Structure formats: C-alpha cells, structure tokens
Amino acid sequence: MQERPKLKLITTQDGSHSLMREDLNETYHSFHGAMGESKYVFIEQGLDWRAQQGNSESLKVFEVGFGTGLNAYLAAEWAVKKEVTIEFHSVEPFPVPRELYEQFNYAQSEEGNQLLQKLHDVPWDSLQNINDHFSLVKYTSTLEEFRSSLKFDLIFFDAFAPSKQAEVWNLENLQKCFEMTNARGYLTTYCAQGQFKRNLAAAGYEVETLKGAMGKKEMVRGLKF
Ligand SMILES: C[S@@+](CC[C@H](N)C(=O)[O-])C[C@H]1O[C@@H](n2cnc3c(N)ncnc32)[C@H](O)[C@@H]1O
C-alpha cells in the first residue's frame, strides 16, 4: 500500500463538499457539483433506472472508490425511502480521515448526518448493518487487489478520471467487474472516454451513452445480458 495521499476539503459549485487529491491534482467529484453529479450518475441513472424497469427487489451494489461516502450515503437514503434493501460493498485503498469526513455537509438534517458519520465510523472489512434497509462492507483494497466470488446487481464505477489513473479503467479491471455482475445487472459511471467505452464493450457489456451530469456532455451505463 502506498503512502496516504494529501487531501484538501473543497466546496463545489452547487455548495456541496468534495476533496482534492493534491498529488494527482484531481477532485473526487465534478467541480460543478459533487451532490448533483452523484445524484444524477449513481442514483437517477443507477438505482432509479432499475426501479423504472419495474425491478424493486433487494440488491447488491459494488462501488469502486468509497472516498467521501457520498454515493453510499445517497444509496442508504434511497433504500430507506423506497423500502428496498441494499447490501453495499465498496473498495477504497485510502480511507478518508475522520478530521475531514466529520466536516462533510451532505446531510440536510441531524439524522442524515448521523447516517453519514456512521457509514464512515463503522469498522472496515466486515459486513455492518447500518439500518433496516442498508448494510455495508468497506474493503481496504484497490479494485486490482479485490478478490470475491460475490455477484452484484449494480456497480458504481467511481474511480479518478482515466487521464489521472488509466490503470483502474483497463480491460482487466473491467473484465473483473463483468464477472462480478449478475445477469441483467449493470454498471454506471460519470466517464464516457473512448478507450474506456471500447474496454467496457470488450469486457462484455453493452455500452449505452447517456447525457452527462452537471454540464458534462456524456456518461455511460454498461449492461450485462
Ligand atoms: C473520484 S473519487 C470518488 C470516491 C467516492 N465514490 C466519492 O463519492 O467520494 C475515486 C476514489 O477511488 C479511490 N481509488 C484510488 N485508486 C483506486 C483503485 N485502484 N481501486 C479502487 N479505488 C481506488 C480513491 O482513493 C478515491 O476515493
């Protein structure tokens, strides 16, 4: 494992917090809006889309990059609101330190903030019950190192951009994701880079290019039939 990178708290244009990783000069979310991007790419085009297909069963979600926990937090709120049970698994080689996560402004209520803090506070590398509709495993691992025979219904692919971490978006990693995806499962990501889309198709997914979030032209959903 590499040395822990230096992180700085920033505020994006919709007022929600994100982090800047200084060695990569890369933010954890779109500068136009962390909350807006996560809600659109992972909740609307991920969880809501599944419900729109008529599927309201319990599901397992796998996330590449736990980071600020924003996607997990939004997914947990969604699960409670929709009364759908989610088992959420997320890999993260560099857990965010408490002095940063306790400042995050994602929650609109004290109850919401308790949920966000709980997602961060619970131990790593074991399944933790968060509430009646949401359980979580955070793995201190990269996607490359992650080994599991579990299968998932939905993958949130939320790594740093390919221009900063090309290796995470490579064919081998996407083949691993495809193997971990259930039939009729899918992957969503904010990224629509050409080489990534070719790798996604080569891994076996049917690639769907959608309108992007927060001023970005496109995003991608990969479907497994
Ligand atoms: C774009 S950020 C998004 C994180 C998170 N989903 C969020 O909303 O804050 C990418 C995350 O991937 C993590 N990461 C870096 N290298 C990785 C790897 N090889 N495998 C999995 N995650 C990685 C980073 O530490 C960072 O937390």
Side-chain angles (χ1 to χ4, degrees), residues 25-173:
N25 191 28
E26 175 77 341
T27 56
Y28 275 45
H29 304 95
S30 162
F31 187 68
H32 295 295
M35 182 61 82
E37 180 181 52
S38 286
K39 275 188 173 164
Y40 177 74
V41 174
F42 301 106
I43 306 303
E44 289 177 32
Q45 300 300 343
L47 292 168
D48 284 342
W49 182 76
R50 182 174 187 266
Q52 285 154 16
Q53 308 310 300
N55 190 344
S56 56
E57 287 169 18
S58 305
L59 72 154
K60 279 194 172 64
V61 175
F62 179 71
E63 179 182 46
V64 179
F66 183 77
T68 61
L70 177 56
N71 295 335
Y73 170 66
L74 293 174
E77 286 213 313
W78 186 94
V80 172
K81 190 166 154 214
K82 306 284 181 185
E83 299 188 355
V84 172
T85 302
I86 298 181
E87 191 178 296
F88 196 97
H89 296 241
S90 187
V91 286
E92 174 57 66
F94 302 117
V96 170
R98 180 189 295 266
E99 64 268 23
L100 284 173
Y101 71 66
E102 66 187 11
Q103 297 182 59
F104 291 156
N105 66 358
Y106 300 136
Q108 301 300 310
S109 64
E110 188 44 41
E111 194 188 2
N113 198 43
Q114 280 171 10
L115 170 62
L116 175 65
Q117 298 305 315
K118 187 171 183 183
L119 296 171
H120 281 281
D121 287 342
V122 290
W124 287 70
D125 300 302
S126 61
L127 183 66
Q128 302 290 324
N129 273 327
I130 303 298
N131 59 41
D132 285 351
H133 289 98
F134 197 80
S135 55
L136 171 70
V137 193
K138 302 176 288 181
Y139 303 89
T140 39
S141 170
T142 60
L143 173 60
E144 296 86 322
E145 292 160 350
F146 185 68
R147 300 273 172 274
S148 172
S149 56
L150 289 172
K151 298 258 188 197
F152 298 90
D153 304 293
L154 171 54
I155 296 184
F156 290 173
F157 205 99
D158 200 15
F160 288 124
S163 56
K164 303 290 171 147
Q165 277 202 318
E167 69 283 3
V168 185
W169 304 80
N170 69 19
L171 179 57
E172 206 181 328
N173 273 355

